[in-house]
Amino acid sequence: MGDTMTDAATAAISRGAIDAIVNAAQNPQAAWPNPVLQCLQIREMKAGPQGGPTRYRIVLSDIDHFSQGMLATQANDVVESGKLKKNSIVRVTSFNSNQVKEKRIVIVLSLEILEEHWPLEKLGNPVQVETRDLVDIKPQPTTISSNGFYGNKPQAAQPQRSAQALPSRPVGTAHANIYPIEALSPYAHKWTIKARCTHKSDIKTWHKQSGEGKLFSVNFLDESGEIRATGFNAECDMLYDIFQEGEVYYISSPCRVQLAKKQFTNLSNDYELTFERDTQVEKAEDPTDVPVNKFAFTSIGDLQSVDKDTTIDTIGVLKEVDEVTQITSKTTSKPYDKRDLTLVDNTGFSVRLTIWGNTATNFDAPPESVLAFKGVKVSDYNGRSLSLLSSGSMTIEPDIDEAYKLKGWYDASGRMDKFTSHASMGSAGAAGGRSDPLKTITRVLEENLGMSENPDYFTVRATIIYVKQDSVSYPACLSDNCNKKVVEMNPGEWRCEKCDKTHPRPEYRYIMSVNVSDHTGQLWLSCFDDVGRMIMGVSADELAVMKENDEKAFSDRFQDATCKTWMFKCRAKMDNYQDQQRVRHQVTGASAVNYVAEGKKLVEMMKVYNLD
């Protein structure tokens, strides 16, 4: 049986692929597409002095030859999940071959494990592939070529040579050493990336006692990932007008690779680039093999589960466009133009998104357009709101599947839908880092939450089984930020004692009690206006009109509100009522159940208990 499996694996191997890939003059993937190889060794690379992401070195064999390689971090999961093991047979679906410290290695972007071939030992007796047209220089120790790794014999330490400036490469020469962005690190040199400029900032200047200067930044994208690059002073003058958003360029070293300053970028790459005097930039004649943009969208309905100050991508239909307004910075006293947009999507939620500066003043997208945003910051203002960062970007009617799906949904039914904002769903404590742990009703009662001097906070997933119809709302003052109860003095005269004003009518606001249940018990919750609107589906004003004119519609609203499950964020606090102390459970926010997220939590719980 073992010999049969070994024979099948041997027959599947792409013999000759290693030599063809490593020695390909250009485009190694075209030299041997999707080769089937054996992984002879896997080893985690030691982090350099500057830290950085976890990387793995591998050795790939085609039975005749072997070559050292490196997994791009986007493929780390195959190792960390245990799928890729020593002697696995793999199909390498995306890769490149590059020279690092005078060695040729294979950069693996993605691969598939061929589980039908599972030999327990190395196939054949491969020898290290010979590389052609390489300068015979002994490598200095790096995190990629270290002594003791497969195929390397321990050598005596070589004396370090003094660093010399790399010669600049004339524009127009063949780009044979194309690196994927994901493979760039401070230890790589003599590299070229082919990438699309997805964002270019304005030129920024600074004035300090130590001097003054200017800078700009651009974001680059290729199939493997994204990276930010910055040009200062002379490089800013030299390169700013060259880069245009949407165009594809070759960027060649010397160009410094360093740890990213996360406060200045919305990209996930742990490294960033700094242009140098001899950095070479050339516009690519064929941009078709570079993606236009890359998004990792968070739906509007899922924003409540996203932490404050997180940077995300989102997409939605433009529902409302406000006029441009101007605010003055408290720190710099400079004026800034801003414009608020309201976005909706098929989760049934809406969100306010703020754009700034020229993006705000030049905004001309018509309502009902689909907008995709990359690099927006999540705020807990009004529950959840978004702000487009200066390093972010906006695309109107993007040519992507998500945009077509949203457009189809909106044209079919979304245009007539009512949307829920996140205004009722943020809590002040959340901004301060307070956690609202998910609990069952029985645990809330057994743990005596709210019985101490300070309030307790928790989240409960429960179904509404009853809504009290009496005293479901109260007449409130119409003045901004008041909401105090008003008293009818005469027909058409409603008096607010706090504001010392009389209004022709009140605004009714919810102050309702609901009985909720989960699989462990029942609990009474107190809800205010924003949550009441979510539960009832109409405003308290509309419900008051129903009560006066249509008793059946009024009763049906309460019936429709029951048997629906919500995620309730609650505060438990001791309260005095008719000279008796009791714990009051007040809802501070509510949201519809995200069944996808809840399902994932259950899966994680099953893993903890080793349940299959």
Side-chain angles (χ1 to χ4, degrees), residues 411-569:
D411 290 340
S413 61
R415 185 176 284 107
M416 305 304 296
D417 288 351
K418 292 184 177 180
F419 298 93
T420 302
S421 74
H422 289 275
S424 65
M425 299 166 61
S427 58
R434 188 197 70 232
S435 63
D436 300 337
L438 180 65
K439 296 182 180 291
T440 62
I441 290 175
T442 294
R443 287 195 62 187
V444 170
L445 300 176
E446 288 178 347
E447 294 177 9
N448 295 319
L449 298 185
M451 298 290 284
S452 59
E453 292 183 4
N454 297 321
D456 292 310
Y457 296 87
F458 63 93
T459 300
V460 63
R461 181 175 58 247
T463 302
I464 297 174
I465 58 176
Y466 180 71
V467 182
K468 275 190 177 180
Q469 295 190 22
D470 56 323
S471 302
V472 71
S473 64
Y474 72 97
C477 177
L478 289 175
S479 300
D480 291 339
N481 302 318
C482 179
N483 298 334
K484 290 295 185 180
K485 185 176 181 179
V486 294
V487 179
E488 187 176 22
M489 309 300 292
N490 294 299
E493 294 183 5
W494 294 81
R495 176 75 177 170
C496 176
E497 294 297 333
K498 178 187 176 183
C499 298
D500 193 24
K501 291 182 180 179
T502 299
H503 301 285
R505 62 175 180 83
E507 177 191 23
Y508 282 91
R509 296 177 63 84
Y510 285 111
I511 180 170
M512 57 196 299
S513 295
V514 298
N515 190 246
V516 301
S517 173
D518 66 8
H519 64 288
T520 67
Q522 297 182 10
L523 191 68
W524 281 99
L525 301 177
S526 300
C527 307
F528 291 120
D529 191 62
D530 289 333
V531 176
R533 287 170 178 261
M534 296 172 64
I535 292 173
M536 301 303 295
V538 294
S539 67
D541 272 335
E542 293 173 290
L543 194 66
V545 172
M546 292 182 191
K547 185 175 182 179
E548 292 294 327
N549 301 320
D550 192 340
E551 282 287 343
K552 184 178 184 306
F554 177 78
S555 179
D556 287 346
R557 277 289 166 183
F558 286 89
Q559 187 66 33
D560 292 342
T562 60
C563 300
K564 291 184 178 179
T565 303
W566 298 85
M567 301 294 292
F568 293 103
K569 287 193 172 186

